[in-house]
Amino acid sequence: MRVINFLSILTLGISLVSASPLHPRQAKQPPLMGKWDIVGDSKIATMHIFRANNKEIYMIDKLEVNKIKQANGNPAISGVYNIETNEVRALNLATDTFCSAGSFFANGTLIHAGGAEAGLGYNVGFQSVRFITPSDPNPDWSEIPDGLSTARWYPAMASLPSGNVLILGGSAKGTGKNNAAINNPTYEIWTVGGAPRPQPVDFPFLVETMPYNLYPFLHVLPNFENKQLAFVFANTKGIVYDLDTATVVSKVPDLTGGIRSYPLTGNSLLLPLRPSQNYKPVVMICGGNTAMEIKNPALASCGRIDPTETNPQWEMDNFGGTGRVMPDSVILPTGKVLYLNGAQVGFAGYHQGPKTNPLYVSDNPAFTPFIYDPETKGWTTNLAPSTIARLYHSVATLTSDGRVFVSGSNPQGAVELNSKYPTEYRVEMFTPPYLQTGLVRPVITSVAGTTKQLEDTRFPATYKQALEVKVTKGQEKSFLTAAIIHSGFITHSQSFSQRYAMCKVISAEYDPNNPNDVTLNIEMPPNPTIIPPGPSYLYILDNGVPATFSAQILLSSA
């Protein structure tokens, strides 16, 4: 029996090929990589989505007359999209979900909070709290119409290391820029079931960052002291906040260049965490704008920062050379980041004027996605463009097989199908370049000793546990790596709680009778500040090519 130790192999191998510069007239354009496919019809406009398992995307919209109805005859504003069949099943709600947010509890239940005015047979949703557990036999929403302590529209949410969920900020009603009369500079922390009902805690940072403080960027920071630390950013400012003591730990310098928050909406994510770097937290914020002007060009800049450093400083980047407002970001199994969607001018909001001659507040759609490599800090821009404009209220998330689910765009207050930028129901799948290499993909054949229904089973795991995963590799010179991803809740260029952690591959044992069959022992992340407890997905890669599906994991502390 041949055993190879992989403790020292923690990151993917990356090779860069450079060539001598050519005269501009001689320069050859590199071939376009990646592929777009229109695969289905969402039936419901996808203002918000989350990945529930390996086969389903849950969708949530605002009040409007979508293509299907829920059980009581009201237009459906929530549903389940099956990735395999491209079919849609309506879910049932009673309150308005417009511009809300969500996150997972440790037990796998998603809590969804906030909303807006009543209409179309739905009740007011500003203080509503909703719950759904996708693993239930027949999952559907339950609601507490007045569950929140205060009204919240455009709040941020995060899954916490404790297994609870943080709900932060928002406004008392819909608006463009926030204002003091409706600002909600508080937060509350929910436990499973919501008992006792949480009370709001003052959060002055959301006063200091007026008027651009809606959907504040929010990331739980990894640490080894069992602290619940959050990085919160709005407008141009950021702080590190201790949720256990309700105190500001530190502030970071202002991010220069322009405004990054709604309605001059940029994007923020916590870059992949790697054990070789002791899970160093680096936040990257990209895009936005300088003013609420329709023709104003979007920001073509990004800032990277480790907010836990003693003297943190922003490291600036050019966002691949193209400005975007309302961009989405998806961390890929390789640890690289896909940026897509959005506009190159304007700001987030509905079009102005009549339907017959609308004036769009954002335009010049960014059809071409970019891929960012956090290790080399380089950009891949020669990717195939989409043919569909994805503007206000667009979304994207990673799927089990390594493709990216892309949907939405609805820059108007009600369904419009014949506009320049219509309510968009077409669903696309983007195939990243790593699925075009021609290399054979590994196949997961066993998880924790189980060989049946692997794609449909969610496997319990604990922090630091060595999880046994068997794979059939297809490449002669294999380089097997593993990463665990929490997909988060996606809306308005935010992916609340999206996380990526590289896993240590402790050992690889090859079957002497079939050397393509490999037993891996994969160490789960060391604590819940790295990846929150609850549902996540384990990806196995061979030379940067992900397996045919991911293993569903339910992480817990015990």
Side-chain angles (χ1 to χ4, degrees):
M1 196 72 71
R2 185 158 57 99
V3 178
I4 296 178
N5 191 284
F6 277 83
L7 278 172
S8 62
I9 302 176
L10 303 178
T11 60
L12 296 174
I14 300 170
S15 63
L16 298 177
V17 179
S18 61
S20 58
L22 297 174
H23 187 277
R25 293 181 180 178
Q26 297 175 312
K28 293 183 178 180
Q29 294 296 323
L32 298 180
M33 299 185 293
K35 183 170 71 80
W36 292 89
D37 294 292
I38 299 173
V39 297
D41 185 324
S42 64
K43 309 292 184 184
I44 295 165
T46 53
M47 181 182 291
H48 325 71
I49 63 169
F50 65 93
R51 178 179 165 189
N53 49 55
N54 275 349
K55 297 179 180 180
E56 294 175 323
I57 305 292
Y58 279 46
M59 309 174 293
I60 307 164
D61 190 21
K62 65 178 186 294
L63 300 188
E64 58 187 337
V65 183
N66 283 304
K67 293 184 177 183
I68 58 175
K69 296 181 179 181
Q70 60 180 34
N72 67 359
N74 288 340
I77 60 171
S78 182
V80 181
Y81 187 95
N82 187 298
I83 298 170
E84 290 189 339
T85 66
N86 297 307
E87 295 178 347
V88 175
R89 172 173 60 87
L91 295 173
N92 297 285
L93 281 166
T95 60
D96 182 10
T97 53
F98 180 39
C99 295
S100 46
S103 281
F104 280 99
F105 288 121
N107 68 347
T109 294
L110 183 119
I111 176 175
H112 181 255
E117 296 85 355
L120 293 178
Y122 289 84
N123 299 320
V124 64
F126 284 113
Q127 291 184 247
S128 292
V129 180
R130 312 165 191 91
F131 305 91
I132 196 165
T133 306
S135 60
D136 283 351
N138 295 294
D140 211 339
W141 292 102
S142 62
E143 299 177 73
I144 306 175
D146 60 349
L148 292 175
S149 59
T150 54
R152 297 188 189 273
W153 182 84
Y154 265 70
M157 293 178 65
S159 300
L160 297 178
S162 62
N164 300 327
V165 169
L166 168 67
I167 307 175
L168 170 68
S171 61
K173 64 179 182 179
T175 184
K177 291 187 294 186
N178 205 357
N179 64 74
I182 59 174
N183 188 32
N184 188 345
T186 69
Y187 68 85
E188 50 195 277
I189 296 176
W190 277 70
T191 59
V192 175
R197 178 173 173 170
Q199 294 302 304
V201 178
D202 288 339
F203 195 67
F205 177 75
L206 293 180
V207 176
E208 300 164 10
T209 51
M210 286 282 289
Y212 301 107
N213 67 355
L214 296 176
Y215 274 144
F217 300 153
L218 175 61
H219 305 288
V220 175
L221 295 173
N223 64 86
F224 291 90
E225 299 171 332
N226 199 33
K227 292 183 178 180
Q228 296 196 124
L229 300 175
F231 177 70
V232 186
F233 183 98
N235 200 328
T236 62
K237 302 180 183 297
I239 61 171
V240 175
Y241 187 83
D242 189 327
L243 289 161
D244 296 319
T245 62
T247 56
V248 175
V249 176
S250 61
K251 298 181 179 181
V252 301
D254 285 6
L255 178 55
T256 60
I259 308 301
R260 310 290 176 161
S261 301
Y262 174 83
L264 308 178
T265 306
N267 176 275
S268 179
L269 79 159
L270 183 67
L271 292 176
L273 303 170
R274 299 178 183 272
S276 60
Q277 299 169 357
N278 204 31
Y279 304 99
K280 175 182 174 68
V282 177
V283 174
M284 185 159 172
I285 298 174
C286 294
N289 212 321
T290 57
M292 285 183 66
E293 298 291 341
I294 292 174
K295 297 185 181 298
N296 217 50
L299 293 177
S301 68
C302 302
R304 288 172 48 130
I305 197 168
D306 176 355
T308 65
E309 290 182 343
T310 303
N311 182 29
Q313 297 295 321
W314 291 99
E315 178 184 354
M316 301 305 294
D317 192 283
N318 72 350
F319 205 4
T322 298
R324 293 178 195 248
V325 62
M326 302 176 293
D328 287 301
S329 63
V330 178
I331 305 178
L332 302 172
T334 56
K336 297 179 182 180
V337 181
L338 178 72
Y339 285 95
L340 70 170
N341 299 343
Q344 296 181 64
V345 297
F347 56 94
Y350 292 146
H351 69 59
Q352 301 171 0
K355 294 181 181 180
T356 54
N357 187 28
L359 179 63
Y360 290 92
V361 300
S362 62
D363 210 331
N364 194 6
F367 291 106
T368 301
F370 292 168
I371 291 179
Y372 177 73
D373 187 336
E375 295 296 289
T376 67
K377 302 177 184 177
W379 294 89
T380 300
T381 60
N382 59 315
L383 298 177
S386 172
T387 59
I388 299 175
R390 302 287 186 184
L391 301 174
Y392 192 38
H393 297 150
S394 297
V395 290
T397 193
L398 183 66
T399 66
S400 174
D401 65 2
R403 295 179 298 162
V404 176
F405 175 98
V406 185
S407 64
S409 189
N410 194 15
Q412 44 264 327
V415 173
E416 294 180 18
L417 299 178
N418 299 309
S419 302
K420 177 182 177 181
Y421 300 125
T423 303
E424 190 57 71
Y425 291 105
R426 287 175 292 178
V427 173
E428 291 176 289
M429 285 288 186
F430 177 69
T431 300
Y434 52 65
L435 296 179
Q436 297 179 309
T437 62
L439 297 174
V440 178
R441 303 177 68 175
V443 178
I444 298 173
T445 59
S446 172
V447 179
T450 298
T451 59
K452 296 181 179 180
Q453 296 183 315
L454 293 178
E455 290 190 65
D456 301 323
T457 302
R458 192 169 292 279
F459 297 92
T462 57
Y463 295 98
K464 293 185 179 181
Q465 175 186 344
L467 184 68
E468 182 187 273
V469 179
K470 294 183 179 181
V471 301
T472 297
K473 68 181 187 68
Q475 302 176 36
E476 183 177 352
K477 296 181 179 179
S478 285
F479 181 56
L480 295 167
T481 56
I484 191 164
I485 298 176
H486 182 82
S487 302
F489 182 97
I490 300 95
T491 187
H492 292 78
S493 300
Q494 296 254 31
S495 295
F496 295 117
S497 298
Q498 180 180 205
R499 313 278 281 201
Y500 176 111
M502 181 70 75
C503 294
K504 295 180 181 179
V505 181
I506 299 172
S507 64
E509 182 177 314
Y510 290 78
D511 186 334
N513 298 317
N514 188 349
N516 284 332
D517 291 342
V518 188
T519 300
L520 304 174
N521 279 295
I522 300 170
E523 185 173 282
M524 295 294 99
N527 69 61
T529 71
I530 310 299
I531 290 279
S536 289
Y537 301 89
L538 180 66
Y539 286 83
I540 308 297
L541 301 94
D542 193 352
N543 287 310
V545 179
T548 54
F549 63 89
S550 60
Q552 300 181 89
I553 304 296
L554 187 69
L555 272 172
S556 68
S557 297

